[in-house]
Amino acid sequence: MSKNKKLMGIMMALCMSASVMTACQSKEEPPQEPPVSTEAGDGQEEGSEQQNAEGAEGSEQASESACTITIQDFCTDKQFEIESGDTVYDVLKKTEVDMGATNSGDGIFVDGINGKYAGDEGETSGWVYTVNGERPEESCDKYEVKAGDVIVWEYVTE
């Protein structure tokens, strides 16, 4: 009986940790629960493999109308569905990170992400974005993304 209590305690701790770490996860994609292993080997593993295979198929389908975003120190390679006309800024908002932005008249400037702000590490420090490895000349609210685009937000100090 004490083994079951320990297992439940570990599972609850894992669930709580997972919920804290979902700051960059879309509302459309609820976090996946880790598979539960059983000592008796009652076929749970087989069901988990089938579920993982179905999940992989779903992610392939999502990629046809999605783009990927990475935010330095906060999330890596998260996919979000996009609609026609969505911009880099729209995708950033979908991540639900705590963000500060200013409309400069020429477009939106992202001042900060999750407590890290422009100027924190020197006068020229701040957030910049790239799309498919290139740094666009447009502000993030003007650059329209396409399916398959890879967006990376990075904090630079120079």
Side-chain angles (χ1 to χ4, degrees):
M1 193 66 153
S2 67
K3 221 178 201 184
N4 287 339
K5 286 182 182 179
K6 285 181 184 178
L7 181 59
M8 287 297 286
I10 291 170
M11 289 175 56
M12 288 178 65
L14 286 172
C15 288
M16 290 173 58
S17 296
S19 66
V20 169
M21 297 170 61
T22 58
C24 192
Q25 192 148 5
S26 167
K27 284 185 178 177
E28 292 91 17
E29 294 181 15
Q32 298 282 328
E33 289 187 18
V36 178
S37 63
T38 59
E39 291 179 3
D42 62 359
Q44 183 71 27
E45 247 180 63
E46 184 179 322
S48 297
E49 288 174 7
Q50 182 179 1
Q51 183 179 11
N52 288 343
E54 289 170 3
E57 284 177 18
S59 66
E60 283 178 22
Q61 290 172 351
S63 66
E64 292 176 14
S65 62
C67 70
T68 304
I69 187 168
T70 294
I71 305 171
Q72 178 184 334
D73 298 330
F74 298 108
C75 70
T76 303
D77 297 331
K78 297 290 181 181
Q79 281 199 351
F80 290 94
E81 291 291 318
I82 57 171
E83 297 176 16
S84 178
D86 273 355
T87 65
V88 169
Y89 185 64
D90 293 326
V91 177
L92 180 61
K93 290 189 300 187
K94 289 178 183 185
T95 67
E96 298 182 353
V97 294
D98 182 25
M99 173 186 51
T102 306
N103 190 340
S104 67
D106 291 327
I108 292 181
F109 172 73
V110 175
D111 299 308
I113 298 175
N114 282 350
K116 195 169 194 174
Y117 288 88
D120 283 353
E121 295 185 26
E123 284 184 35
T124 59
S125 65
W127 289 97
V128 296
Y129 76 95
T130 59
V131 178
N132 303 325
E134 301 289 325
R135 191 177 292 174
E137 296 292 322
E138 301 174 86
S139 64
C140 62
D141 65 316
K142 294 191 179 0
Y143 190 97
E144 290 188 19
V145 293
K146 302 179 301 298
D149 278 350
V150 176
I151 303 166
V152 176
W153 282 91
E154 182 178 33
Y155 190 85
V156 296
T157 57
E158 294 180 20

